[in-house]
């Protein structure tokens, strides 16, 4: 399951992901095609040269994909061990337009409108209050920018992969929400941030790639 976390004040949560960092990419293998496709489709929506923030980035799948198009990517996560693995991957690929910082996606230190595109991939289903996270991510998205929220659709998973999810639960991977494409879109639009599009990326565990476009400011004083 793609990683994430509710906040830095939950210290055991970051400790949990630190412990799993070495095996994390292996846990992603069973759904690798959907994960890779979601990262590629997300990167396609990054404007060339954009300044990008990636939250709950894990070992960097979405950050590295975005860096192929972006001017700069700030790759953030609760877990230092995850970020170290992301750094090594970036070095192997020769990508130099990234920085790596430990951050809480529910309490970002950045000023309003700091980033042309903001990504939070496969984390909202893990959070008790995903609405608070989305509002914080929206705050740091620049006017005219995009908020990109690829999220696992546990509510659409087949019975076969449901058994895999039970195994994940047994070792400590838990989720708070089992979104379907419809309930995910409804959740986002009820936040009052505008129209949300949700593209379903098929896989053993499908991903719903949600995109919200932040309006440009009005052009005149009246």
């Amino acid at each position: 399951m793609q990683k994430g976390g509710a906040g830095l004040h939950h210290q055991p949560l970051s400790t949990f992901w630190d412990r799993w960092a070495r095996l994390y990419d292996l846990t992603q293998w069973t759904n690798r095609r959907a994960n890779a496709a979601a990262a590629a489709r997300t990167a396609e929506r990054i404007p060339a040269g954009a300044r990008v923030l990636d939250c709950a980035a894990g070992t960097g799948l979405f950050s590295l994909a975005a860096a192929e198009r972006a001017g700069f990517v700030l790759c953030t996560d609760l877990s230092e061990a995850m970020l170290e693995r992301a750094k090594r991957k970036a070095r192997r690929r020769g990508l130099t337009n990234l920085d790596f910082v430990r951050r809480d996606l529910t309490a970002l230190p950045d000023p309003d409108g700091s980033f042309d595109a903001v990504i939070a991939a496969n984390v909202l289903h893990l959070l008790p209050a995903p609405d608070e996270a989305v509002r914080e991510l929206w705050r740091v998205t620049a006017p005219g920018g995009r908020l990109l929220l690829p999220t696992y659709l546990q509510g659409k998973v087949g019975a076969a992969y449901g058994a895999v999810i039970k195994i994940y639960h047994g070792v400590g991977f838990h989720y708070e929400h089992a979104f379907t494409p419809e309930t995910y879109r409804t959740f986002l639009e009820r936040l009052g941030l505008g129209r949300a599009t949700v593209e379903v990326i098929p896989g053993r565990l499908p991903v719903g790639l949600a995109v919200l476009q932040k309006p440009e400011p009005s052009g005149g004083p009246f």
Side-chain angles (χ1 to χ4, degrees):
M1 312 295 285
Q2 186 79 20
K3 70 150 317 283
L8 291 175
H9 53 287
H10 296 292
Q11 186 61 34
L13 186 62
S14 57
T15 302
F16 171 83
W17 292 113
D18 284 340
R19 282 201 315 270
W20 276 95
R22 298 177 104 185
L23 296 175
Y24 177 71
D25 288 332
L26 183 60
T27 69
Q28 299 291 286
W29 184 253
T30 56
N31 202 49
R32 61 192 180 280
R33 291 181 181 175
N35 295 334
R41 293 290 287 162
T42 300
E44 289 172 5
R45 287 159 174 76
I46 302 293
R51 180 176 172 82
V52 177
L53 172 67
D54 185 11
C55 290
T59 60
L61 176 64
F62 285 79
S63 288
L64 300 181
E68 300 286 352
R69 289 178 54 83
F72 171 75
V73 177
L74 184 61
C75 177
T76 71
D77 197 89
L78 280 176
S79 168
E80 291 282 6
M82 291 283 190
L83 290 172
E84 284 300 320
R85 296 186 73 84
K87 287 180 192 178
R88 290 199 291 271
K89 289 181 181 180
R91 285 196 295 267
R92 287 198 298 267
R93 295 192 192 184
L95 295 170
T96 59
N97 60 333
L98 300 96
D99 199 2
F100 301 85
V101 180
R102 189 171 184 262
R103 290 265 179 96
D104 175 0
L105 84 169
T106 67
L108 298 167
D110 312 280
D112 295 357
S114 295
F115 299 93
D116 305 307
V118 176
I119 304 167
N122 299 324
V123 60
L124 295 182
H125 65 292
L126 300 173
L127 304 180
D131 53 327
E132 295 177 7
V134 174
R135 291 186 189 282
E136 180 68 346
L137 298 166
W138 186 251
R139 180 186 68 77
V140 299
T141 303
R146 292 174 181 168
L147 178 54
L148 303 160
L149 300 170
T151 297
Y152 286 134
L153 301 173
Q154 276 87 354
K156 193 176 170 62
V157 73
Y161 202 80
V164 176
I165 290 177
K166 288 181 181 179
I167 294 172
Y168 286 143
H169 285 179
V171 296
F173 291 83
H174 296 285
Y175 61 88
E176 299 280 344
H177 308 278
F179 290 118
T180 66
E182 296 75 22
T183 61
Y184 189 35
R185 183 183 297 106
T186 298
F187 156 70
L188 291 171
E189 292 192 341
R190 282 180 177 170
L191 298 179
L193 305 178
R195 179 174 176 268
T197 64
V198 178
E199 175 189 356
V200 177
I201 297 170
R204 299 182 71 187
L205 178 54
V207 178
L209 172 51
V211 181
L212 293 95
Q213 185 85 29
K214 197 165 191 177
E216 295 276 5
S218 58
F222 302 107

